[in-house]
Amino acid sequence: MRIVVALGGNALLRRGQPMTSENQRANVRIAAEALAPIARKHQLIISHGNGPQVGLLALQASYYNDAETYPLDVLGAQTEGMIGYLIEQELGNILPFEQPFASILTMVEVDINDPAFNNPTKPIGPVFEEEEAKRLAREKKWVMKKEGDKWRRFVPSPVPQRIFELRPIKWLLEKGTIVICTGGGGIPTVYDNKGNLGGAEVVIDKDYAGALLAKELEADMYIMATDADAVYTGWGTPEVKALTNVTYEDLKNEDFDPGSIGPKVISACWFAEKTGKKAGIGSLKDLEKITTGEKGTTISPGKDKAGEVFGRKI
Amino acid sequence: MRIVVALGGNALLRRGQPMTSENQRANVRIAAEALAPIARKHQLIISHGNGPQVGLLALQASYYNDAETYPLDVLGAQTEGMIGYLIEQELGNILPFEQPFASILTMVEVDINDPAFNNPTKPIGPVFEEEEAKRLAREKKWVMKKEGDKWRRFVPSPVPQRIFELRPIKWLLEKGTIVICTGGGGIPTVYDNKGNLGGAEVVIDKDYAGALLAKELEADMYIMATDADAVYTGWGTPEVKALTNVTYEDLKNEDFDPGSIGPKVISACWFAEKTGKKAGIGSLKDLEKITTGEKGTTISPGKDKAGEVFGRKI
């Protein structure tokens, strides 16, 4: 099978952990252990989030005043470099030396008229206390919102429209290469009115971008690895239930957290509908069993249309 | 012809320019204009320096105290992301949409026993006044040395031994892809005593890494684009002379600045000797005419051996 696995930002950095490179490398090593059995059996494409990392880089740059803060496309490209490198190196340390790898910088187009530009929904970077958050909002003109009992920076997250480097990715897969791409949802790019491609000050949802990647690569399965072992309904009630095998019909009347599991459920339904293939959502440690449907939540194509676009409420 | 072009850090950021992303993008656009005619006629592989950028990222990170400064392998990977993205996007804006591009993260092995580890020779990041330089040396344990009338951080620069992602790079070239790789001399990596690959706290010379890349790819020519229009002898004397067509024999008794043109001359001689092909050194704006030998300095294979390793004085 050809399988696209999207690693959540939390698979790379657990909540509350300091964002040191040692912590990230240690987490990437755990992810690599989970990915290795898939790589031995299947054709593997790895995507990953970058929310904590891209926000940290922006913050670091903003503390050093002799150079301006780099825009989110440039910082996104930096995180593709950093995270792609760590994944490639740590997975390479587990698999045979002969296994070819390639981490490909990936530009993803967004529509400049996407209404998401006016509504920052994507949290990035570390959490702050209220006072520090208000100072950052004032000084950096960042949008700071409450997340739980702390504050975070929020940026727009428009829908991914096109992945530019698809052909090189396909050529490398045909040669048996493990490809790491579309990291952080891809480097956000837009066309200006002269037809030139440039950067966008946004962070694309990596689950949406991974679904688009999996569809375009005609993948047999799209798996989103996260810190939950399945999709749950009735969370926080006595009727809490882990879902095993579902379709869009089972999900469309449920209410999922738009800040975490929601985009995964939407991406899974979209991929299943567009391709007729299955998507999986579950814990990184269960990765191998998610491919066989023994663990996690498997989303199969349903009868109803999940819709043409991402971003809709399920 | 298959041509490897290495862009100097100064082709991306002119001396004294603030390291904003706008400045870097504007310089990359100029570089892209010079690269486009080569891309239309030849098979093009682009490498680039990262000295100013990797030093800036280290500095930015060091100003923000909640996360430690990332090591130079991780920062090097970030610069491959950032610079590779800008080159790919700006060159893509000039060439036809159908032209495939791939920026490949590239790990380059160095030998942990390389004596260069004990002798920091590579300047990175911005320049400082003496007082600030001494403070950084004290607080960050960085090696700060005088460069001209200012101070800069210096790091070790061991010899590149192996490029790990050669096969994917070759496969992409066979499909007509313009490949951007080995940026910043590659992400510096070493094997530990358990046989695991990890990062090294160094910055590899990008001219050496580019020469190794050009040799391994069996390139027909290796060009180093810089801010000088040729290699000169007798610099600062009345006998100053721009070299046009030379071999190792013409160069071996000359004294070249080890901080700038020296590594380029060594890399050119090494490439010419190892492959029997020509290397070129010259100005970015003359790039097309350097390929035909009409501009810049062309270094051809000589009779004498330039030596088995990089890093020797010529």
Side-chain angles (χ1 to χ4, degrees), chain A residues 100-134:
Chain A
F101 281 91
S103 305
I104 303 266
L105 295 186
T106 319
M107 294 190 287
V108 172
E109 187 183 354
V110 294
D111 180 353
I112 193 76
N113 296 312
D114 191 315
F117 272 93
N118 304 315
N119 181 26
T121 56
K122 168 90 185 162
I124 63 169
V127 297
F128 301 97
E129 298 299 334
E130 181 167 359
E131 193 184 344
E132 175 77 350
K134 294 201 162 155

Side-chain angles (χ1 to χ4, degrees), chain B residues 12-44:
Chain B
L12 303 173
L13 196 70
R14 264 164 279 152
R15 265 180 233 284
Q17 261 191 329
M19 281 189 269
T20 63
S21 66
E22 280 83 1
N23 282 342
Q24 292 186 73
R25 190 184 274 279
N27 291 328
V28 166
R29 199 169 290 145
I30 293 167
E33 294 285 355
L35 289 164
I38 315 285
R40 288 199 183 93
K41 250 187 244 172
H42 303 288
Q43 211 175 56
L44 176 63

Side-chain angles (χ1 to χ4, degrees), chain A residues 19 70 73 85 88 93 165, chain B residues 19 70 73 85 88 165:
Chain A
M19 281 189 270
Y70 286 2
D73 58 321
Y85 158 61
E88 181 174 333
N93 279 335
E165 291 83 355
Chain B
M19 281 189 269
Y70 286 2
D73 58 322
Y85 157 62
E88 181 174 334
E165 291 84 354

